[in-house]
């Protein structure tokens, strides 16, 4: 499972999908639930983005 979740296509999907949902959630869901959804999806997106950057830096060095 770890190999699947750390593959580049899966990380790109997690990064892009969660970023779009984080941006759209406050408009689609009203109130605190929309804000909480946006924050949660944003955290997952940032985690996937940081994994992509760490992997890119590891390949360069």
């Amino acid at each position: 499972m770890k190999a699947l979740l750390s593959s580049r296509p899966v990380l790109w999907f997690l990064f892009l999908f969660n970023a779009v949902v984080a941006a759209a959630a406050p408009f689609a869901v009203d109130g605190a639930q929309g804000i909480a959804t946006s924050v949660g999806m944003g955290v997952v997106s940032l985690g996937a983005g940081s994994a992509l950057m760490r992997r890119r830096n590891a390949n360069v060095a």
Side-chain angles (χ1 to χ4, degrees):
M1 188 69 166
K2 185 177 179 180
L4 174 67
L5 288 176
S6 63
S7 68
R8 284 187 72 97
V10 172
L11 288 173
W12 274 109
F13 173 76
L14 287 172
F15 174 68
L16 295 173
F17 178 78
N18 287 302
V20 168
V21 172
F27 301 108
V29 182
D30 289 333
Q33 187 176 6
I35 293 170
T37 302
S38 180
V39 168
M41 293 296 216
V43 167
V44 173
S45 180
L46 288 173
S50 68
L52 283 168
M53 294 302 287
R54 274 189 276 135
R55 177 174 261 204
R56 187 177 114 191
N57 291 340
N59 289 340
V60 171

